[in-house]
């Protein structure tokens, strides 16, 4: 199993649909993240979970709803999205997410390419 | 606020050196990173430098940090076509402890 696995790799949905992105990490990490990657924009941190508790929510619209049932799994529930939400959504994990003693390396999945029609 | 800036595109010829530049605003950054994203893949850590260092060398890669100017660069010697990718600069905020990424620089290596 690769370190961080995301499904689906590609998703096309209409604005009225409800779908979910899934992320699973096999690295024994205790922090997980959702990032949004759009062309010509900085990689945007959306949500952070540390020890299954949400510790960061960067003013993300409520049409994006994260869920972290345990330290290995992270979901991003999507509903009534807009075309401008089309992007690559990247999941990442790290160990001791907020500990200054380590280098803070993030391990990324391959991403879910979302297209909203 | 914390901000990381880098140019969007760099083109070099195979065998030349590539230099990708980055500027950041947080003077209390603890670590600075270079991540590489190959086509169809997620980001992978390439190298990092602690904020009290000026330089770090790892085989073909040289990282230079100028804390006074808040400038970070990545030099790739003898650039190969396999180095074609997007390179992201990131800094770990001293106050927030979270990673802030730039836009990424697309490196195109011409044969």
């Amino acid at each position: 199993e690769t370190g961080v696995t995301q499904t689906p790799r590609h998703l096309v949905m209409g604005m009225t649909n409800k779908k979910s992105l899934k992320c699973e990490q096999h690295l024994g990490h205790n922090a997980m993240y959702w990032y949004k990657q759009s062309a010509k924009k900085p990689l945007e941190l959306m949500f952070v979970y540390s020890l299954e508790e949400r510790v960061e929510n960067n003013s993300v619209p409520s049409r994006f709803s994260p869920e972290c049932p345990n330290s290995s799994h992270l979901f991003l529930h999507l509903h009534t999205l807009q075309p401008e939400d089309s992007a690559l959504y990247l999941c990442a994990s790290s160990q001791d997410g907020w500990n200054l003693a380590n280098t803070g390396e993030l391990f990324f999945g391959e991403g879910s390419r979302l297209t909203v029609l | 606020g914390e901000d990381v800036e880098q140019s969007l595109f760099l083109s070099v010829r195979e065998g030349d050196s590539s230099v990708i530049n980055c500027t950041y605003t947080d003077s209390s950054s603890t670590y600075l990173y270079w991540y590489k994203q190959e086509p169809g893949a997620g980001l992978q850590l390439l190298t990092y430098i602690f904020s009290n260092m000026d330089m770090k060398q790892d085989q073909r890669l040289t990282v230079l940090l100028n804390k006074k100017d808040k400038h970070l660069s990545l030099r790739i010697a003898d650039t190969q076509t396999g180095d074609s990718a997007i390179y992201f600069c990131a800094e770990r905020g001293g106050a927030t402890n979270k990673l802030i990424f730039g836009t990424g620089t697309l490196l195109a290596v011409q044969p």
Side-chain angles (χ1 to χ4, degrees):
Chain A
E1 288 279 8
T2 54
V4 180
T5 305
Q6 290 187 241
T7 55
R9 292 294 309 278
H10 300 273
L11 178 63
V12 179
M13 59 187 289
M15 289 191 284
T16 58
N17 291 160
K18 284 186 182 181
K19 297 284 184 184
S20 296
L21 305 181
K22 179 183 174 183
C23 177
E24 187 173 355
Q25 59 100 356
H26 308 276
L27 301 168
H29 290 162
N30 59 9
M32 296 187 77
Y33 310 74
W34 280 116
Y35 280 87
K36 179 182 179 183
Q37 183 179 4
S38 304
K40 300 182 183 178
K41 292 185 180 179
L43 201 63
E44 179 188 340
L45 178 62
M46 300 175 72
F47 301 104
V48 181
Y49 278 83
S50 181
L51 299 173
E52 298 152 48
E53 184 181 325
R54 192 190 310 178
V55 297
E56 185 87 23
N57 178 355
N58 281 352
S59 302
V60 178
S62 59
R63 56 186 184 268
F64 294 93
S65 173
E67 180 190 0
C68 187
N70 55 61
S71 60
S72 300
H73 293 86
L74 184 65
F75 295 89
L76 188 62
H77 303 300
L78 317 167
H79 74 99
T80 58
L81 294 191
Q82 304 298 309
E84 60 264 29
D85 297 322
S86 298
L88 182 68
Y89 288 86
L90 291 163
C91 173
S93 70
S94 69
Q95 182 58 25
D96 295 330
W98 305 108
N99 184 349
L100 272 173
N102 68 58
T103 63
E105 179 180 358
L106 296 179
F107 292 78
F108 284 85
E110 294 180 320
S112 293
R113 172 72 61 186
L114 173 67
T115 302
V116 182
L117 302 176
Chain B
E2 299 156 327
D3 194 22
V4 175
E5 292 191 359
Q6 49 184 133
S7 56
L8 292 176
F9 184 74
L10 176 66
S11 179
V12 299
R13 300 194 72 87
E14 192 173 16
D16 288 350
S17 291
S18 309
V19 180
I20 304 172
N21 295 300
C22 168
T23 57
Y24 60 97
T25 56
D26 186 357
S27 57
S28 63
S29 293
T30 53
Y31 287 94
L32 295 115
Y33 310 82
W34 285 104
Y35 279 80
K36 179 183 181 182
Q37 184 182 34
E38 296 186 351
L43 280 70
Q44 194 166 20
L45 182 66
L46 198 58
T47 186
Y48 67 90
I49 187 168
F50 191 52
S51 58
N52 67 353
M53 297 169 63
D54 298 325
M55 185 181 90
K56 181 178 181 181
Q57 188 145 7
D58 183 3
Q59 298 182 331
R60 292 191 297 122
L61 305 178
T62 303
V63 178
L64 294 178
L65 174 59
N66 182 328
K67 278 197 77 172
K68 175 175 168 290
D69 295 337
K70 301 192 195 70
H71 182 268
L72 182 74
S73 67
L74 173 69
R75 179 177 180 270
I76 305 173
D78 187 25
T79 312
Q80 303 297 307
T81 54
D83 294 323
S84 294
I86 301 175
Y87 291 81
F88 285 89
C89 171
E91 58 103 6
R92 188 176 189 185
T96 64
N97 204 29
K98 64 182 181 183
L99 263 67
I100 305 297
F101 286 85
T103 56
T105 298
L106 174 62
L107 175 65
V109 182
Q110 311 299 325

